[in-house]
Amino acid sequence: MQSLLRRTAALFAKYKRQHRASGGPIRLELNEPYWQPGMPVPRFPKRKRPVKRAKSLLLELDRAERERLSASGAASHGPMLSALRAGDVVQLRLRTSMQPDAPTRELVGMCIACRHRGINSTFQIRNVYDGEAVEHGFFAYSPMIAEARVVDSREYRQSKLWYLRKRPIRESMVRVPPSALKSPPGG
Amino acid sequence: MHANLLRAVARHLSPPLPVGARFLSIKLIRSGLTALPDGEPLPEDYDPDWRPPRPERIRRFGVLARKVGMLPFWNAYGQYNCVTVLAVDNNHVLQVKQLPANASPVKGLSDMAVQIGAGFIRPYQAKRTHRFHCAYAGTDVKEKLVEFRVAPASAAEVALGTPITARHFAPGQYVDVTGTSIGKGFQGPMKRHGFHGQPASHGVSLAHRSHGATGQRQDPGRVFKGKKMAGHMGCKRVTVQNLLLQRIDLRRNLLYVSGHVPGHAGNWVMVRDAVKRSGAKWWDKLPHPPPFPTYVPSDDDDDTATDDVADLFAAPPGVDPFRVEEGKA
């Protein structure tokens, strides 16, 4: 009985500590000198904890940065590449440097791992060259990706196709017929 | 805006030598000269004890910022880097003080200090002393106070209540960021000090991650003070030096520094000019050196936040590493 009363008193004290309004009328003199008699009662907007404020700001910055990069042309294929799925066959044209007349190179491969994290989205493509399987990883919003196109889409039940490393090479082969590659993206 | 800083630097460099001055090595001068080495007589204002005055180090005050998080950053050459976003959160100058005569004489720092307040708390959440301290400067009640000791004394010539924004820094400069590191709790010596532990097998009993021996034998017969052992790790003040400031967001008052910063998101950090990258040698390289003592908005600024310009970016360093030069494969 005594322990029950003690626990109830402790709960009541905790409630009073956490809920300021339950302590009595607002003592406006605690706001001096930021409050003078005759001023309205100050009411401040409620704010989240600093960690939550920081993370929500970071989300907004992430979104703004994605918009800026895709609108300015530095990473125009970012939104499409950050929404890839495992099994999508992509054709990429990559820059070798940011100079406007720099040569570009082509890559075709199947996406085996896609990481969806906004501007930090990445994907890994896998293809077979001369009997050797090669995997490549890219940032979706990297400025080194000049053009990108999803050519085909294979169906897989997994989201990460790491098991292809243990499977026969022919399952990782991506042979895009020339008709699908009719014109390289971007001319 | 940057003329102020260059003038300040020039003020503290050695004065120009008199016309016709010739360089004489200190060794020559100390050995006693009666005539110049090439036979000519000594000039009239020759003083064997004159030495060029050491240029005084310039240390501006810093800002208090909150760590927001990290983002990727690609510079104009396509190089990838991680940047930490720091939000300069409602900074104002709360006090400019002259430290007492018995303050520790730190080399390169004057006796003037600037106290910066940051953050916002409700008046009734603060003690009465603190409320009046903030009200005296004409600002709202601050959550965090930090004092910066500056050099030279003119770096503290700033009015009470001046708002400090991200414009206090210039993109392309280096900064030191000080924060409270993430607490790890009680940790063993392998994690805390990088000890190597003992082998996992070959007869080792119950000591795979322990520190092993702690001393010698009868001499000295004790364990030295400061012996590295297990204990509390983290949650202490850590400074990361020489972080490049890549970008400044003028609207949201954000600093993008390349690299990692101690602490969690939402943590308070102190951002100051890098002590090892400050001075005329580094600031001359910047297109717009940082303002001295701080940024004061004026009408003739050409890069205030307008609809077109909302961010200031650092110029990419050096030459494009991916370039292919003419004539080379």
Side-chain angles (χ1 to χ4, degrees):
Chain A
M1 184 64 185
Q2 291 297 323
S3 66
L4 206 64
L5 282 174
R6 238 184 291 127
R7 265 182 280 157
T8 315
L11 273 175
F12 187 62
K14 184 177 172 186
Y15 180 86
K16 281 197 80 172
R17 267 201 308 273
Q18 287 177 349
H19 297 267
R20 184 181 304 280
S22 63
I26 299 167
R27 292 176 49 206
L28 287 169
E29 60 271 15
L30 289 180
N31 287 297
E32 279 173 359
Y34 292 87
W35 173 83
Q36 303 297 333
M39 278 169 63
V41 174
R43 288 272 180 241
F44 301 97
K46 193 172 170 182
R47 291 185 306 176
K48 296 281 189 188
R49 283 187 284 124
V51 178
K52 288 192 171 185
R53 274 185 265 150
K55 302 235 156 143
S56 75
L57 175 62
L58 193 70
L59 274 180
E60 192 199 318
L61 292 176
D62 186 296
R63 186 192 49 77
E65 189 67 13
R66 270 183 282 150
E67 272 175 20
R68 185 182 75 91
L69 286 180
S70 44
S72 72
S76 44
H77 296 275
M80 186 254 290
L81 290 173
S82 62
L84 286 177
R85 292 193 65 182
D88 289 346
V89 177
V90 294
Q91 180 189 12
L92 297 175
R93 181 190 285 278
L94 301 169
R95 297 194 177 101
T96 49
S97 92
M98 292 305 290
Q99 289 173 357
D101 54 344
T104 58
R105 62 188 182 112
E106 295 242 355
L107 267 185
V108 178
M110 179 174 69
C111 184
I112 57 165
C114 305
R115 179 177 190 257
H116 306 293
R117 296 288 188 280
I119 197 177
N120 293 297
S121 302
T122 64
F123 60 97
Q124 298 199 19
I125 60 175
R126 179 180 168 95
N127 203 350
V128 178
Y129 304 97
D130 290 339
E132 288 285 343
V134 176
E135 291 177 8
H136 256 114
F138 299 96
F139 273 93
Y141 284 87
S142 167
M144 291 303 204
I145 298 178
E147 299 288 340
R149 209 157 64 105
V150 175
V151 170
D152 189 15
S153 189
R154 297 189 195 169
E155 205 176 292
Y156 287 93
R157 294 179 67 99
Q158 278 74 31
S159 69
K160 302 284 189 294
L161 311 179
W162 308 122
Y163 69 92
L164 288 176
R165 295 169 180 170
K166 299 186 184 136
R167 301 287 293 167
I169 284 269
R170 64 170 182 277
E171 296 188 18
S172 309
M173 277 179 182
V174 173
R175 276 194 241 128
V176 184
S179 54
L181 277 175
K182 51 185 182 305
S183 65
Chain B
M1 173 175 74
H2 63 279
N4 269 341
L5 184 64
L6 291 177
R7 245 181 273 130
V9 170
R11 253 203 306 260
H12 301 283
L13 288 177
S14 52
L17 294 172
V19 173
R22 299 196 223 177
F23 175 73
L24 300 166
S25 71
I26 305 289
K27 204 170 160 185
L28 261 183
I29 297 173
R30 281 200 183 134
S31 63
L33 276 182
T34 48
L36 287 175
D38 50 1
E40 291 188 14
L42 291 170
E44 285 161 6
D45 52 354
Y46 172 76
D47 177 18
D49 298 319
W50 182 85
R51 300 282 178 268
R54 277 187 95 87
E56 201 174 326
R57 185 190 267 183
I58 291 188
R59 302 292 311 278
R60 306 183 303 154
F61 55 85
V63 302
L64 274 170
R66 278 210 134 110
K67 177 176 173 180
V68 176
M70 295 192 74
L71 286 173
F73 180 80
W74 289 272
N75 67 5
Y77 301 147
Q79 282 175 310
Y80 168 81
N81 207 342
C82 285
V83 289
T84 308
V85 183
L86 304 173
V88 178
D89 191 10
N90 194 26
N91 285 26
H92 286 92
V93 174
L94 283 191
Q95 194 180 3
V96 175
K97 50 168 115 169
Q98 184 165 16
L99 298 175
N102 62 352
S104 53
V106 179
K107 189 165 142 187
L109 287 178
S110 71
D111 57 350
M112 297 297 293
V114 176
Q115 189 185 78
I116 305 280
F120 166 75
I121 52 174
R122 300 170 174 91
Y124 56 82
Q125 289 175 329
K127 300 251 184 343
R128 187 187 160 85
T129 325
H130 182 58
R131 267 182 274 138
F132 278 83
H133 181 64
C134 297
Y136 186 74
T139 67
D140 48 0
V141 186
K142 298 298 180 190
E143 188 180 336
K144 188 121 178 117
L145 296 186
V146 150
E147 186 180 299
F148 296 97
R149 195 166 169 182
V150 298
S154 54
E157 282 167 11
V158 63
L160 273 189
T162 311
I164 314 286
T165 57
R167 299 296 298 271
H168 181 74
F169 297 101
Q173 74 164 102
Y174 288 88
V175 293
D176 293 342
V177 182
T178 307
T180 307
S181 60
I182 296 176
K184 311 272 185 211
F186 194 100
Q187 289 296 338
M190 277 182 80
K191 187 175 178 77
R192 197 177 181 220
H193 300 296
F195 286 7
H196 299 96
Q198 275 107 57
S201 68
H202 290 299
V204 171
S205 326
L206 309 175
H208 306 284
R209 296 185 64 89
S210 83
H211 46 58
T214 54
Q216 292 79 39
R217 214 178 177 197
Q218 185 169 8
D219 289 310
R222 62 188 178 96
V223 178
F224 293 136
K225 276 191 185 296
K227 181 81 197 64
K228 290 181 180 174
M229 289 184 171
H232 184 252
M233 179 182 170
C235 197
K236 62 174 193 176
R237 175 175 160 142
V238 168
T239 302
V240 181
Q241 293 188 323
N242 301 335
L243 298 177
L244 180 63
L245 191 64
Q246 295 275 9
R247 177 177 167 188
I248 295 179
D249 190 332
L250 302 171
R251 283 213 192 94
R252 297 188 185 103
N253 252 343
L254 301 175
L255 301 169
Y256 289 61
V257 291
S258 85
H260 305 268
V261 150
H264 293 280
N267 206 25
W268 281 110
V269 296
M270 207 159 68
V271 187
R272 291 170 287 177
D273 300 332
V275 66
K276 294 179 183 172
R277 295 281 186 273
S278 58
K281 179 174 103 169
W282 294 93
W283 281 326
D284 281 343
K285 290 183 191 169
L286 298 174
H288 296 287
F292 182 92
T294 187
Y295 172 72
V296 173
S298 62
D299 295 327
D300 54 341
D301 267 335
D302 52 349
D303 46 12
T304 41
T306 58
D307 289 326
D308 302 322
V309 177
D311 300 275
L312 299 175
F313 288 88
V319 288
D320 186 351
F322 299 129
R323 80 198 180 287
V324 174
E325 287 166 3
E326 298 296 317
K328 296 186 186 174

